[in-house]
Amino acid sequence: MADIHVVDASGDLSLPRCPYGPKCYRRNVQHFREYSHPAGHERAAEVQSGVAEDDEAPKRTADDVVAVDDEKETTEPPAKRTRKSFRKSEELPSTSAAATDLPRPNFDGKTESMEMLNPLGTYFTRTKGLDPNYNDRRWTRSMKMLLAPEMGNLQSSVQFNYCFDIPWIVDQYPEEFRSKPLMIVHGDKASSADGQALRQEASLFPNITLVYADLPIAYGTHHTKMMLLSYDVGMRVVIHTSNLLAGDWHNKTQGMWISPLLPKGTSADSITGFQNSLVHYLKCYHNAKLNAVADALNKYDMSSVKVFLIPSVPGRHMGPDKTRYGHLRLRTILQEHAALSAKKVTPEWPLIGQFSSIGSIGPTSANWLTGEFLESLSMPAAPMTRRPPLNLIFPSVENVRMSSEGWNGGGSLPHSEANYQKQPYLYKLFHVWKSDGKGRTSAMPHIKTYARIRPDLSECAWLAMTSANMSKAAWGAYEKNSSQLMIRSYELGVLFLPSMFSSNAASFKIAEDFDTMSEAVESNQLAIMLPYDLPLVEYAPTDRPWTSDNPQTGLKDIFGRYRERR
């Protein structure tokens, strides 16, 4: 018998039925105003009775939050967030009255304008509730802006990611592009709950093709975040840090690199070998559909690209392949292409790692962090008698508690209490999240960056922006007496070297805010913005790093809420 549908929130029985029926997991009030739902559906009843409010903050338990750990390397498989919890994070409270007033995606997206305004092609995502100056189109982009007709006449697109909300993704495309072919590359097995939900959502859109990324090593994830946007006259590559979820794009600090428009016609690689690296990366999926995409990439002129690709591919890599991926890929590029920086950088130049998740990286720092990993990041340089200072940025409990999402802000910061207790050496390296210069201190970071800076904080030798968190699963770890590099997950990032943007440059000037960055560009200075403030702020004696499964008993967040545990 057909489901009995309740009156929708507007009182109109003529609205179409929700395609998910009694299993609908949406939280957005607007959804319940547009579709009718079966009698007994709890959320629909809340909306109908007027109990539910727009942008309400759904309750989230410590158990909900711990299930986010996409980087966990333990003896148990890492539990991913359920698709239900993804929807819960779409609409979140804000400390600003303007929380729902995202800037409209009206802008001049022509290639020449973008490149002149932002020569490096790096952007933050647009974040709810900020002063409009911090969502300046010169330095920020929403997903709708990336897909707008001003960027090009879109013919097809490929979205690589970890988490998806397909109805939301489709809504980001302009109406005239929503029927264009869309390929989604994911890591959810068909037999899993997430895989079944993803396939159910995709089945509603005949233009969508799903491609499964096989994960041959236990506990690996498909964590790459990339868009391939094909136009009638060329294409763009976007490498970014956001899951394809509303909350990730609207509430977090995220980053992206947008390529110039790459003309169709004659194949041409850049000085960074970007085209060859990208084609090789796609071939590593061993998938016929992605092989076809890789072959198509050889029909574009990518000579204008000035960044290096930093991929991670699951496997045990030996011989020449060992230096193609992970931290050894970063090491090799710095050794081979950063000669000018090598003449300038001394062991006193500190390294900064900033990330949103921490894996199991060993009982002592020498096991991996200050061993092989730091050696890779210490390049370019001849072998050093001492390693450079290492500083890590990871949000504290207080950062999360006072964030624009309150406790919910910790949902994208997987770090278990057990890991924290097993790796106490990390504490003395930790610094709080602070981004006043970019207006994003209250927007918890999901961006991941690694950089080498001058001790006086004025210059940056190089910057990597990537999907890779602080884990061996992401960056790789030596095995068999360093003869092979084992990587569990797919990751992707880009490396910015100053000499690729200006042949005589040994460093970037560090711009502390949007105004300083604009002034540098206008005066033809080679500058870069880090997502955090300098100088870094060490943890206070009372600070603790955020851990996903600690209920923070007795503490209320900025909205006056306790963390709850079922």
Side-chain angles (χ1 to χ4, degrees):
M1 181 168 55
D3 292 326
I4 301 173
H5 278 244
V6 301
V7 177
D8 62 280
S10 68
D12 184 357
L13 282 168
S14 65
L15 290 182
R17 295 182 177 185
C18 171
Y20 302 110
K23 297 182 179 180
C24 177
Y25 34 60
R26 305 302 289 268
R27 299 291 302 175
N28 192 330
V29 170
Q30 188 60 33
H31 171 78
F32 292 86
R33 291 173 177 157
E34 295 175 353
Y35 296 93
S36 62
H37 292 74
H41 189 286
E42 181 180 357
R43 181 62 171 167
E46 290 176 357
V47 176
Q48 184 184 3
S49 65
V51 173
E53 298 178 359
D54 285 319
D55 298 328
E56 76 164 15
K59 292 181 180 179
R60 189 165 184 153
T61 69
D63 290 331
D64 288 332
V65 177
V66 73
V68 187
D69 194 350
D70 57 83
E71 292 295 333
K72 186 161 55 178
E73 293 179 79
T74 67
T75 56
E76 296 296 325
K80 286 174 60 175
R81 285 175 283 182
T82 65
R83 299 190 65 77
K84 183 176 181 180
S85 71
F86 295 164
R87 299 322 189 280
K88 285 184 178 182
S89 69
E90 286 181 11
E91 301 296 340
L92 295 164
S94 171
T95 55
S96 167
T100 58
D101 298 331
L102 279 180
R104 296 179 61 82
N106 295 330
F107 70 106
D108 178 5
K110 294 180 181 179
T111 304
E112 59 269 25
S113 298
M114 290 178 63
E115 291 180 358
M116 287 192 304
L117 290 171
N118 189 333
L120 270 61
T122 58
Y123 298 84
F124 295 103
T125 50
R126 293 197 153 190
T127 305
K128 283 185 177 181
L130 301 186
D131 182 295
N133 291 329
Y134 294 125
N135 280 324
D136 187 331
R137 71 180 183 90
R138 187 169 187 172
W139 310 114
T140 66
R141 288 287 185 268
S142 66
M143 190 166 170
K144 285 190 174 182
M145 291 173 75
L146 289 177
L147 301 171
E150 291 86 350
M151 294 290 283
N153 183 16
L154 191 70
Q155 302 299 298
S156 64
S157 57
V158 187
Q159 297 282 357
F160 297 72
N161 220 293
Y162 175 66
C163 299
F164 305 82
D165 177 352
I166 289 183
W168 179 83
I169 295 167
V170 171
D171 190 52
Q172 304 315 295
Y173 285 80
E175 190 170 352
E176 59 265 41
F177 296 156
R178 288 180 188 170
S179 62
K180 300 290 186 179
L182 168 58
M183 182 183 294
I184 289 179
V185 184
H186 65 96
D188 295 322
K189 289 185 176 180
S191 58
S192 69
D194 284 344
Q196 291 171 11
L198 184 68
R199 285 158 180 79
Q200 181 187 29
E201 286 187 351
S203 68
L204 302 175
F205 304 96
N207 62 309
I208 292 181
T209 300
L210 295 180
V211 173
Y212 171 65
D214 185 43
L215 296 162
I217 299 180
Y219 317 137
T221 62
H222 183 257
H223 206 237
T224 290
K225 294 164 178 66
M226 175 171 64
M227 305 181 192
L228 302 177
L229 307 175
S230 178
Y231 312 113
D232 52 356
V233 296
M235 71 168 295
R236 280 194 177 88
V237 180
V238 180
I239 295 173
H240 61 102
T241 65
S242 307
N243 288 297
L244 293 178
L245 307 169
D248 265 43
W249 285 81
H250 295 167
N251 301 310
K252 310 293 182 187
T253 298
Q254 306 275 15
M256 70 187 83
W257 168 78
I258 306 175
S259 79
L261 182 65
L262 308 173
K264 184 187 294 184
T266 304
S267 177
D269 207 346
S270 69
I271 190 173
T272 65
F274 183 86
Q275 184 176 49
N276 180 66
S277 297
L278 183 56
V279 168
H280 176 83
Y281 174 75
L282 294 184
K283 295 281 188 178
C284 289
Y285 283 86
H286 304 293
N287 179 279
K289 291 185 175 67
L290 289 178
N291 284 345
V293 173
D295 291 340
L297 293 180
N298 283 317
K299 300 176 182 177
Y300 292 88
D301 181 350
M302 299 191 182
S303 59
S304 60
V305 174
K306 298 177 182 179
V307 299
F308 290 89
L309 201 67
I310 309 292
S312 289
V313 171
R316 288 179 163 85
H317 307 293
M318 299 175 286
D321 282 346
K322 191 171 72 169
T323 57
R324 283 183 178 269
Y325 314 111
H327 73 78
L328 291 185
R329 165 72 170 166
L330 176 58
R331 179 188 300 192
T332 301
I333 294 172
L334 293 175
Q335 286 175 321
E336 295 180 352
H337 297 278
L340 287 174
S341 295
K343 295 177 181 179
K344 188 171 191 175
V345 173
T346 68
E348 288 73 32
W349 285 49
L351 286 153
I352 302 176
Q354 175 270 310
F355 39 84
S356 62
S357 175
I358 306 171
S360 297
I361 55 178
T364 70
S365 65
N367 287 109
W368 183 80
L369 179 63
T370 59
E372 62 186 86
F373 186 65
L374 184 58
E375 183 178 353
S376 289
L377 272 63
S378 298
M379 303 298 168
M384 295 180 181
T385 56
R386 58 191 175 91
R387 297 284 169 81
L390 176 63
N391 301 300
L392 304 179
I393 300 173
F394 187 75
S396 66
V397 171
E398 188 69 5
N399 278 148
V400 175
R401 188 177 77 87
M402 299 303 292
S403 74
S404 62
E405 301 171 82
W407 294 129
N408 289 329
S412 295
L413 300 169
H415 176 216
S416 70
E417 189 70 21
N419 252 7
Y420 170 53
Q421 297 297 336
K422 287 189 301 183
Q423 300 169 161
Y425 57 87
L426 290 173
Y427 184 84
K428 64 181 181 181
L429 304 176
F430 279 149
H431 298 73
V432 300
W433 170 251
K434 187 169 180 287
S435 184
D436 289 349
K438 275 68 66 177
R440 284 165 166 75
T441 296
S442 64
M444 288 298 91
H446 194 255
I447 189 174
K448 296 90 173 159
T449 57
Y450 302 81
R452 187 84 185 265
I453 67 169
R454 184 170 173 153
D456 68 1
L457 314 180
S458 64
E459 298 175 66
C460 176
W462 56 264
L463 172 71
M465 181 174 64
T466 175
S467 64
N469 277 303
M470 183 57 72
S471 78
K472 294 188 287 186
W475 284 103
Y478 282 139
E479 290 183 336
K480 295 186 176 180
N481 198 28
S482 304
S483 65
Q484 64 186 30
L485 187 73
M486 190 275 281
I487 298 175
R488 298 181 187 273
S489 298
Y490 286 99
E491 307 279 359
L492 201 60
V494 288
L495 174 67
F496 299 86
L497 286 182
S499 59
M500 298 297 109
F501 293 86
S502 177
S503 58
N504 296 319
S507 63
F508 296 103
K509 174 187 175 181
I510 295 177
E512 63 266 24
D513 54 35
F514 291 176
D515 288 342
T516 308
M517 187 68 182
S518 297
E519 291 168 4
V521 172
E522 288 158 8
S523 60
N524 293 317
Q525 291 181 294
L526 187 60
I528 200 163
M529 271 194 296
L530 304 174
Y532 43 81
D533 291 344
L534 295 173
L536 302 182
V537 178
E538 294 181 349
Y539 274 22
T542 55
D543 277 330
R544 281 175 52 92
W546 172 258
T547 53
S548 312
D549 49 351
N550 187 320
Q552 307 301 338
T553 304
L555 281 180
K556 293 181 179 181
D557 68 9
I558 196 171
F559 302 105
R561 302 172 305 186
Y562 293 107
R563 291 198 82 198
E564 296 182 12
R565 182 189 291 275
R566 289 193 183 97

